[in-house]
Each structure stands twice: as structure tokens, then as C-alpha cells.
Amino acid sequence: MASTASGYPKGDPRDVTKETPYCLPRAWTPDSDAYASGAMLISGFAMLTRNQVFAWPALVLSLSSFINQKPLRLKEGGNGLMAVASALGCLLMVNLPRFIIAEPRPIPA
């Protein structure tokens, strides 16, 4: 078996001469996750204004961010579930008064 200058046999994947620098694929360039940030912002705005119209787009944006998540973003610290949890919490908080506050009953005379 012939060996190279590094001492490994030819065709061995550990051969130092076959090393290439690491580069990210073009589709996985590190960028900010604008969908998750936008979903968190819209969720906060919907909770402050108690407007249900803003809660649904926040949920859609957060789910889109979670589905389109790439494996390299997991190392950035977030896993996308925080935006989904925020949107679901927003939807719950905006609709909670509808279920808790009952209409006043007339007092029988």
C-alpha cells in the first residue's frame, strides 16, 4: 500500500493534503431571523392593544420562522419555539377576557 507524505495510505479520508477550508452553503448564510423577531414584536403589540387582528399574523409568522429554520441557526441560541410560544400566549391573552368575563345577568324582581 502506497502512503503519502503525511503517513496515511492513499485514498484515506484523513489525508492532510485533501483538506479544504470550511465554507457555509449559499442557502445557509448566517442572517438574522427577521420572521421570529417580527412575530415577537407583533405579539407584544397585540397584547398591549388587546387587538386580536394582530395575534393571528404573529402566529403565522412564528410558525413560518419555525418551519423555515435551518440547522445552523440552532447554535445561535434560539430554536424558534420562543416565537411560537409568544404568539400562542398572545392569542390566549387576547381572547381570555371573552371566556372569563360573563355578561351580567338581570336581577329577578
Side-chain angles (χ1 to χ4, degrees):
M1 219 190 253
S3 61
T4 60
S6 61
Y8 292 112
K10 278 188 169 180
D12 192 353
R14 297 175 291 180
D15 189 6
V16 180
T17 59
K18 295 183 179 182
E19 287 183 359
T20 58
Y22 179 74
C23 62
L24 295 174
R26 290 186 181 178
W28 289 3
T29 56
D31 55 348
S32 64
D33 197 7
Y35 286 125
S37 299
M40 297 276 280
L41 179 73
I42 293 173
S43 295
F45 184 72
M47 282 192 268
L48 286 175
T49 60
R50 295 182 187 166
N51 193 348
Q52 186 181 4
V53 174
F54 294 113
W56 291 107
L59 184 63
V60 170
L61 278 176
S62 65
L63 288 175
S64 173
S65 170
F66 183 69
I67 291 170
N68 291 323
Q69 181 177 357
K70 294 183 176 65
L72 290 178
R73 288 195 189 149
L74 294 176
K75 295 179 182 178
E76 294 176 5
N79 59 0
L81 286 176
M82 206 53 199
V84 175
S86 173
L88 288 174
C90 169
L91 201 57
L92 178 73
M93 289 301 134
V94 167
N95 289 316
L96 198 61
R98 293 182 184 187
F99 301 117
I100 292 179
I101 302 172
E103 293 189 24
R105 296 182 190 170
I107 299 173

